[in-house]
Amino acid sequence: MAKIEAPVAKNEYYDVTFEDLTHEGAGVAKVEGFPIFVENALPDERGKVKVVKVKKGFAFGRLIELYEKSEHRVDAPCPIYSQCGGCQLQHVSYKGQLDFKRKQVEQVLTRIGKLDMTKVKVHPTLGMNDPWNYRNKAQVPIGEREGGLVAGFYQKRSHDIIDMERCLIQQAENDDVVQAVKKICEQYGIRAYNEEKHSGWLRHIMVRYGLVTGEMMVVFVTKTKEFAHKKEIIEQITKQFPQVKSIVQNINNKRTNVIFGDETNVLWGEEYIYDKIGNVKFAISARSFYQVNPEQTKVLYDKALEYAQLTGKESVIDAYCGIGTISLFLAQKAKNVFGVEIVPEAIEDANRNAQLNNITNAEFAVGEAEVVIPEWYKQGNEADVIVVDPPRKGCDEALLKTIIDMKPKRVVYVSCNPGTLARDLHVLEQGGYETVEVQPVDMFPHTTHVECVAQLFLKKGN
Ligand code: SAH
């Protein structure tokens, strides 16, 4: 193995000043310009680090002692923060987190997007008033310990399940139901699935909560279909939690760490629970995609709607529409909306949700946005506004090219990954668009994730 030329060496100690945070929330310090990434260190802090690994161009270190603390450092309130890994920023004040997210967006738009920051306004991150207990869905792996079950999380970098009674970013109702279901199952001698031996039965418990309606759903993910003590277990759950409207079983008999299998059956009650975002009602099934922070989803969609500047006369495309959440929001203010999504079940949900809300000017198609939208354009259709909300990998080039050819007056880009947002904005800018505003929205407090909405206008003369 070639020796790595670096100004730092493994197992050596260095006194450093931290300058930055990575996208994963690690502190960055430099020794002779050579970056060292250190967990649990913040910009402006000084400390001693031990280098634990040296790679080509960077190293990893461990914080040994902190000499000077950042004004943004707080004690992480969660007792299992360092074991869990679900949150990465609990040691940063909430204001510090919001500032970090805005700065990260601005840096990436400059570096990857090559945007002129004197022309683009990146607003302060819109955060939550109370950034705790926001998740409406718990997906909890089940394991065993002597004399009972554990329900919690996989310990960082391992597959050991640690028991957890409270997750501070989870709706307390979800934790209550998970704990109760665990106890009920224990009472009836239910065995947890064992990944290594492919033995046992109960793999995961999932709980969903409709924030506005208060309705709840419990999903048992099991290895096989037979369900010992089904009647008694259901009776106990529904007696303790009248807000549970739906109990569902999903069967996953594969040796895999993918949570769900292909077969889903309703055991008791309804197939759906309902929730509302603003004035739009949604039916949510066990397998539907639904945003996990409904309060901030409203903030995000309101911003997307504002940036779309609809007057009631526009034809709008919603690419990557999922279950039609943004489409139905837009439809209330547009002439018509055309939503495109790759997952057929999501489009079934979208159509059902349109009906549920008596929305008749939204139409949905199944397929790849980069195939369906170019075809639709070739057939002579056009849009005044295009909204895109792609997965982390961003928009396909063919879709961006069609947007540039079609020349909608405005593009609204909703993104969960600032890196691919920046890359795609660069392409659209080259194609005649101008990015005017970018609004980061904090959908996932205490994690490093950041969601953004960007508004683009077609430049005059294009
Ligand atoms: N706008 C929705 C969903 C956004 S998530 C909401 O706010 O709820 C991104 C969606 O893109 C997912 O539903 C995913 O299934 C879908 N998707 C992924 N690749 C796609 C493609 N090539 N074409 C269309 N949809 C795609």
Side-chain angles (χ1 to χ4, degrees):
M1 214 172 76
K3 196 169 172 320
I4 296 169
E5 291 294 331
V8 298
K10 191 174 161 170
N11 294 332
E12 293 294 318
Y13 293 82
Y14 300 87
D15 282 344
V16 296
T17 302
F18 293 96
E19 298 171 13
D20 210 348
L21 268 187
T22 66
H23 298 172
E24 289 82 36
V28 187
K30 287 189 178 149
V31 171
E32 295 172 35
F34 192 83
I36 310 176
F37 302 125
V38 182
E39 259 184 43
N40 192 23
L42 298 177
D44 300 328
E45 293 191 324
R46 270 184 2 91
K48 187 196 278 301
V49 300
K50 179 180 179 181
V51 169
V52 291
K53 197 182 249 175
V54 183
K55 304 280 243 183
K56 211 177 160 199
F58 62 91
F60 294 104
R62 210 171 60 225
L63 189 64
I64 303 294
E65 196 185 337
L66 207 51
Y67 303 137
E68 263 171 53
K69 282 187 184 176
S70 158
E71 55 168 333
H72 294 302
R73 179 174 286 275
V74 294
D75 289 331
C78 176
I80 47 178
Y81 173 55
S82 62
Q83 281 170 287
C84 166
C87 296
Q88 302 84 36
L89 296 177
Q90 277 198 21
H91 61 295
V92 187
S93 69
Y94 192 50
K95 183 184 178 303
Q97 293 182 25
L98 297 177
D99 289 349
F100 157 65
K101 291 182 183 189
R102 179 186 179 279
K103 197 169 146 216
Q104 187 199 329
V105 170
E106 209 171 45
Q107 276 174 351
V108 168
L109 291 178
T110 312
R111 187 163 52 81
I112 301 176
K114 312 210 164 31
L115 299 190
D116 177 354
M117 281 301 147
T118 59
K119 294 198 178 134
V120 185
K121 189 154 176 44
V122 180
H123 295 279
T125 310
L126 291 173
M128 300 183 77
N129 288 334
D130 175 13
W132 301 100
N133 306 104
Y134 60 82
R135 282 188 64 96
N136 60 5
K137 180 173 83 170
Q139 277 176 179
V140 182
I142 307 298
E144 283 185 0
R145 66 175 163 207
E146 217 173 306
L149 299 174
V150 287
F153 61 92
Y154 293 112
Q155 186 165 22
K156 257 193 222 175
R157 294 182 270 274
S158 99
H159 257 210
D160 296 340
I161 299 166
I162 310 266
D163 208 37
M164 170 176 59
E165 296 211 339
R166 287 271 158 233
C167 166
L168 300 185
I169 61 170
Q170 189 62 250
Q171 293 282 354
E173 287 82 351
N174 286 347
D175 284 340
D176 292 345
V177 172
V178 169
Q179 286 305 313
V181 172
K182 180 184 86 174
K183 291 210 179 89
I184 295 167
C185 287
E186 254 171 14
Q187 215 178 302
Y188 289 97
I190 297 289
R191 299 294 304 265
Y193 176 71
N194 181 307
E195 225 178 33
E196 265 166 42
K197 298 190 190 130
H198 196 50
S199 62
W201 184 72
L202 183 56
R203 299 176 71 128
H204 274 80
I205 297 171
M206 173 170 119
V207 179
R208 302 191 100 153
Y209 175 72
L211 180 68
V212 174
T213 60
E215 295 181 354
M216 299 186 81
M217 171 187 279
V218 177
V219 183
F220 289 87
V221 183
T222 63
K223 185 179 168 224
T224 53
K225 189 165 177 173
E226 77 263 13
F227 196 132
H229 304 287
K230 177 159 80 181
K231 192 166 156 280
E232 294 88 335
I233 290 175
I234 289 174
E235 236 173 54
Q236 290 235 24
I237 296 174
T238 50
K239 208 167 75 194
Q240 279 187 43
F241 299 99
Q243 64 273 43
V244 170
K245 302 291 177 205
S246 164
I247 302 181
V248 175
Q249 181 181 15
N250 174 274
I251 299 139
N252 184 358
N253 199 4
K254 296 207 182 102
R255 274 199 124 114
T256 166
N257 56 9
V258 175
I259 297 178
F260 291 100
D262 296 333
E263 188 181 338
T264 307
N265 301 310
V266 177
L267 298 176
W268 179 89
E270 310 290 324
E271 183 181 352
Y272 301 97
I273 59 165
Y274 294 93
D275 197 19
K276 275 179 105 175
I277 297 178
N279 55 359
V280 185
K281 193 170 177 185
F282 294 97
I284 308 155
S285 71
R287 302 301 313 280
S288 301
F289 172 85
Y290 188 62
Q291 297 278 1
V292 297
N293 183 342
E295 192 183 326
Q296 287 300 85
T297 300
K298 165 94 170 51
V299 173
L300 182 76
Y301 292 174
D302 278 344
K303 198 40 91 171
L305 191 60
E306 179 194 321
Y307 282 177
Q309 295 184 349
L310 301 177
T311 63
K313 296 197 187 112
E314 296 80 4
S315 288
V316 181
I317 290 178
D318 180 18
Y320 310 91
C321 69
I323 60 167
T325 21
I326 298 180
S327 318
L328 299 180
F329 244 65
L330 297 166
Q332 298 172 308
K333 299 273 167 68
K335 190 170 91 194
N336 50 51
V337 178
F338 179 49
V340 182
E341 157 67 42
I342 200 166
V343 176
E345 293 80 10
I347 290 296
E348 278 172 35
D349 284 351
N351 282 315
R352 182 176 308 103
N353 288 328
Q355 266 178 16
L356 191 65
N357 292 282
N358 298 318
I359 292 175
T360 52
N361 59 339
E363 193 189 318
F364 298 97
V366 180
E368 291 173 308
E370 59 272 24
V371 174
V372 174
I373 293 166
E375 289 273 314
W376 188 79
Y377 176 54
K378 252 188 244 153
Q379 288 161 9
N381 298 299
E382 284 192 18
D384 303 295
V385 179
I386 296 190
V387 178
V388 299
D389 182 9
R392 291 192 66 76
K393 68 174 192 224
C395 290
D396 190 275
E397 259 184 65
L399 176 63
L400 295 176
K401 184 172 179 308
T402 300
I403 294 177
I404 291 166
D405 291 344
M406 200 191 292
K407 300 191 197 309
K409 291 194 249 344
R410 289 178 292 288
V411 175
V412 178
Y413 195 134
V414 183
S415 161
C416 56
N417 181 347
T420 53
L421 170 69
R423 179 198 70 197
D424 293 348
L425 291 185
H426 182 66
V427 175
L428 291 169
E429 293 249 340
Q430 303 275 304
Y433 282 87
E434 188 173 24
T435 310
V436 185
E437 295 191 51
V438 178
Q439 177 63 66
V441 178
D442 194 22
M443 297 282 277
F444 309 102
H446 313 291
T447 78
T448 51
H449 293 287
V450 52
E451 194 93 12
C452 290
V453 197
Q455 184 190 41
L456 292 88
F457 287 102
L458 185 65
K459 273 190 249 177
K460 292 210 170 65
N462 277 284

